[in-house]
Amino acid sequence: MSNTPLIYDVVIAGAGPVGLFLACELRLAKVSVLVLERAHDPSSPLKKLPFGMRGLSVPTIESFHRRGLLEDITKNLPTREQPNDSHGLTTHWMQQRRRPGGHFAGIQFFNDNIDALKWTYRLPDSTPVTMASSMEEIEAVLERRATAMGAEIRRGAGVESVQQSDTGATVYAGGQIFHGRWLVGCDGGRSTVRKAGGFDFVGTDPEFTGYSVEVEMADPEKLAPGRHYTPTGMYTYQEPGTIAMVDFDGGRFHRTKAMTPEHVQTVLRHVSGTDVTVTGLRLATTWTDRAYQATTYRNGRILLAGDAAHIHSPLGGQGLNLGLGDALNLGWKLAAAIRGDAPAELLDTYTSERHPVGAQILDWSRAQVALMRPSPSTRALETIIRDLIETRDGATYFAERVWGISLRYELGGQHPLVGRSVPDFVLTDGRKIGELLREGRALLLNFGVGASLEALAGRWTGRIAYVAANAVDLLGLSAALVRPDGIVAWATGSTPDKEELTEAASRWFGTA
C-alpha cells in the first residue's frame, strides 16, 4: 500500500446510480471526483429485466431532462403515458382496458381518474409523469457521462476504513490511500462510510422476507397470474416463471441461509396455498421491509446519499428516485462549498431539505406493509383503500405521491411556487427552461417585466445565468430565481422587489 494519498476534492464511495449521478453533478462545476466501487464488474442479472425494471418519478425524469440524459436512459425501454395520452405505450399496456398510473400496495390507480388540472404549475407539454428504465441502462448511461466529464472511477476498490479530519477524509480502499476534502457515502444500505463516519441509523425492523425469483415449475397452471393476497402472505406471478412473494417471517430468512429450489418451493406453497412444484431455480434474491434512516446526512466532512442514508422495502419503487434526488440536491451545494462561494449554512440545507423527504418515503413504505399483513382487519382496510383510490380525489392524491409531483421543500417565501420544481416554460424563441439548466447554473428568469434584472444577476457572474424572454404560458409569473437543481428559490407575479430578490440570491449563492 502506498503511503502517499491521492488527493481529490470529493471521494464518492459507490458507483451505483446515486454515486455516478453525483459525480456528474460535481463535474459540472469542474470539481475533481474519485468514485470507488467494490465490485469489479458492474453487470448483474438482477439489474436486467425483469427484476431490474425501475419506474422513474417526475423529479427524476425532470432532473435527467435538465442534464440532457433522459433520451439515452429511456430510448430502449417502455414509457408510461401521461393521463389521456395514448402515445409511447408498449403492447403490454395497450392490452389493458384501463391504463394504470401506478399502485399503492398493489392497489392500482388509473390515469382516467386523475385530475391533472389540480397541478397548477405543471405545464401540459412537460416531461412525462412516469417512465421506465432498467438499473443496467441507468448505470451504463451515467457511467459514460461521468467518465466523459472527467470523473475517475475505480472498480475493485471498496472502502475498507475511513479517518476524518478537519480538512477532509482519508480513505483506505483497494490497497491504496485516497484523501478527499469531502467524502460522500453512496455505498448502499450496509454502508461502510456510514458506519465509519459515526452516523446514527434508526428505524423499524422487518416484518417479512420478500423474494424475487425466476423458477421452473412442473405445474405452473396451479398459480394464477397477477398479484394475490392470501391468508399467509402475498405473491405475484408472471408467466412463465417470474415470481415475487412476501412471507411474514419477521425477516428471518433474509441473508441468513442459502437459497435453494426446495426452500423457494416451501415458501411459495405457504404463501400461495397451492402444492405447486418448483423444479429449477434460475435467479433469486431476497429483501425485507426494514426501514431505517440516518438522523443526519452530514457529519463534518462526510455526507451520505441514497441507500447509505435511508433504506426501506422496494414496494412502489421509490428508493432509486429518492437517492437520485439526494444527489441532485447535494451536488451543486457541495460544489459551491468547494469553490468557497457557498453561504456557511448551505450544506446544512442538504439534510434539512432531503431528510423530511426520506422520512416521508419510509412512512409510505411502512403504510404499504400495513396493507399487506395477512389478517382479516388488513383485508377490511384494503377494501376501504380500494374505494378511496377509485375516487377522482383519491386517484389524484396517490398519483401526486407516487409520481413525486407533491415534492416541495420548505424554503419560506410568499409565492406558492417557491420550493417546487420550476415549470418547463417554453420561451417564445423555442427554448425550454430544462435545456437552460444543462450547465448546472442557477437561472434568473425575467419574463418581460419593466425593470431589468440583468445588473443584479451580474453580481453573481458564473453562478446565476440571466434569461430575459417571454414564455408561451407564464402561469402568472413575471420573474423567478431557479436553483441549479431546478427548484424555485424566489418568484413573483408582479414587479420584482429587488431587495427581496437580492436576499434570496445571497441566501443560496453567497455574497455577490
Side-chain angles (χ1 to χ4, degrees):
M1 177 181 290
S2 171
N3 291 322
T4 304
L6 300 174
I7 300 174
Y8 299 83
D9 289 324
V10 181
V11 174
I12 298 172
V18 177
L20 292 170
F21 191 38
L22 178 59
C24 293
E25 288 297 290
L26 292 168
R27 285 302 299 156
L28 279 174
K30 310 302 181 186
V31 168
S32 62
V33 179
L34 170 67
V35 183
L36 299 172
E37 170 56 45
R38 186 175 305 279
H40 290 271
D41 185 353
S43 63
S44 165
L46 294 174
K47 296 178 183 179
K48 301 177 184 292
L49 303 180
F51 295 144
M53 178 68 78
R54 295 293 186 273
L56 305 182
S57 67
V58 167
T60 298
I61 294 168
E62 288 179 340
S63 65
F64 285 160
H65 166 59
R66 290 165 179 167
R67 298 300 188 251
L69 291 161
L70 186 60
E71 183 177 351
D72 286 342
I73 284 175
T74 60
K75 64 183 178 183
N76 297 322
L77 289 152
T79 64
R80 291 184 186 179
E81 78 291 6
Q82 297 191 51
N84 303 318
D85 180 3
S86 60
H87 299 291
L89 301 178
T90 66
T91 302
H92 171 72
W93 293 105
M94 288 294 289
Q95 289 174 340
Q96 299 199 29
R97 183 178 60 86
R98 298 178 72 192
R99 307 281 166 72
H103 72 88
F104 180 77
I107 304 171
Q108 291 182 326
F109 58 87
F110 294 90
N111 285 338
D112 60 9
N113 234 358
I114 296 167
D115 184 5
L117 295 178
K118 287 191 173 183
W119 304 328
T120 308
Y121 294 108
R122 183 166 178 81
L123 292 165
D125 58 349
S126 300
T127 53
V129 290
T130 57
M131 301 183 81
S133 190
S134 70
M135 286 289 284
E136 181 180 53
E137 190 77 12
I138 293 168
E139 282 191 7
V141 170
L142 291 176
E143 181 163 353
R144 287 196 297 269
R145 172 65 68 87
T147 301
M149 295 178 74
E152 183 180 344
I153 301 171
R154 296 197 179 205
R155 295 192 173 274
V159 173
E160 298 156 8
S161 63
V162 175
Q163 291 181 351
Q164 183 176 188
S165 68
D166 292 339
T167 60
T170 300
V171 179
Y172 300 83
Q176 287 189 274
I177 304 174
F178 307 94
H179 183 81
R181 295 172 63 188
W182 297 87
L183 170 63
V184 185
C186 302
D187 50 340
R190 293 178 286 175
S191 169
T192 300
V193 172
R194 184 185 67 236
K195 296 169 185 174
F199 290 84
D200 290 330
F201 202 49
V202 300
T204 52
D205 290 326
E207 296 186 37
F208 65 67
T209 298
Y211 297 77
S212 296
V213 298
E214 281 191 354
V215 299
E216 296 171 356
M217 295 176 286
D219 41 12
E221 68 279 358
K222 292 183 177 179
L223 294 180
R227 181 185 298 255
H228 306 277
Y229 292 103
T230 72
T232 51
M234 183 278 291
Y235 77 95
T236 63
Y237 171 49
Q238 179 180 338
E239 296 175 331
T242 301
I243 297 171
M245 51 188 177
V246 166
D247 182 18
F248 279 81
D249 65 347
R252 286 188 297 273
F253 183 81
H254 179 59
R255 289 183 174 146
T256 60
K257 300 177 184 177
M259 190 90 76
T260 64
E262 292 76 18
H263 176 75
V264 170
Q265 176 178 282
T266 298
V267 175
L268 182 55
R269 287 181 172 184
H270 173 66
V271 300
S272 69
T274 70
D275 61 352
V276 64
T277 300
V278 174
T279 57
L281 184 60
R282 294 194 295 268
L283 186 64
T285 188
T286 62
W287 38 277
T288 76
D289 59 313
R290 185 171 183 250
Y292 271 63
Q293 185 178 25
T295 55
T296 180
Y297 292 177
R298 178 190 176 190
N299 184 0
R301 292 278 180 149
I302 302 177
L303 300 116
L304 303 176
D307 288 352
H310 38 70
I311 59 170
H312 58 88
S313 83
L315 297 171
Q318 300 274 19
L320 174 64
N321 294 302
L322 182 59
L324 291 170
D326 292 344
L328 185 69
N329 188 284
L330 175 60
W332 69 275
K333 296 175 180 178
L334 185 53
I338 291 168
R339 286 195 309 263
D341 54 41
E345 68 280 1
L346 181 64
L347 265 183
D348 292 333
T349 67
Y350 169 55
T351 292
S352 65
E353 290 177 11
R354 293 303 298 173
H355 195 278
V357 178
Q360 187 180 65
I361 294 297
L362 263 65
D363 279 346
W364 191 255
S365 175
R366 293 182 182 112
Q368 292 182 82
V369 173
L371 273 178
M372 296 170 63
R373 294 182 186 127
S375 71
S377 58
T378 297
R379 298 284 67 79
L381 179 60
E382 177 197 351
T383 300
I384 294 173
I385 296 298
R386 286 188 183 277
D387 288 344
L388 289 173
I389 212 168
E390 269 294 323
T391 67
R392 195 158 181 79
D393 285 344
T396 304
Y397 168 79
F398 281 96
E400 287 176 353
R401 293 290 300 271
V402 172
W403 294 348
I405 291 176
S406 61
L407 176 66
R408 185 186 187 189
Y409 299 132
E410 295 298 330
L411 306 185
Q414 299 298 314
H415 198 280
L417 189 55
V418 172
R420 296 187 183 276
S421 176
V422 64
D424 199 18
F425 292 109
V426 180
L427 305 183
T428 51
D429 60 9
R431 293 177 298 168
K432 285 190 171 185
I433 297 302
E435 298 164 2
L436 299 178
L437 286 165
R438 295 279 163 89
E439 295 181 3
R441 287 193 294 167
L443 301 177
L444 178 54
L445 306 176
N446 185 346
F447 292 132
V449 296
S452 172
L453 303 175
E454 187 171 7
L456 191 150
R459 293 163 58 186
W460 285 270
T461 301
R463 285 173 274 173
I464 299 177
Y466 181 64
V467 180
N470 213 330
V472 175
D473 188 344
L474 295 173
L475 298 178
L477 260 67
S478 59
L481 178 64
V482 183
R483 303 189 325 190
D485 57 356
I487 297 298
V488 176
W490 168 89
T492 184
S494 57
T495 302
D497 182 326
K498 291 188 178 181
E499 183 176 341
E500 187 180 87
L501 173 55
T502 299
E503 182 180 340
S506 299
R507 175 186 178 187
W508 296 108
F509 310 114
T511 305

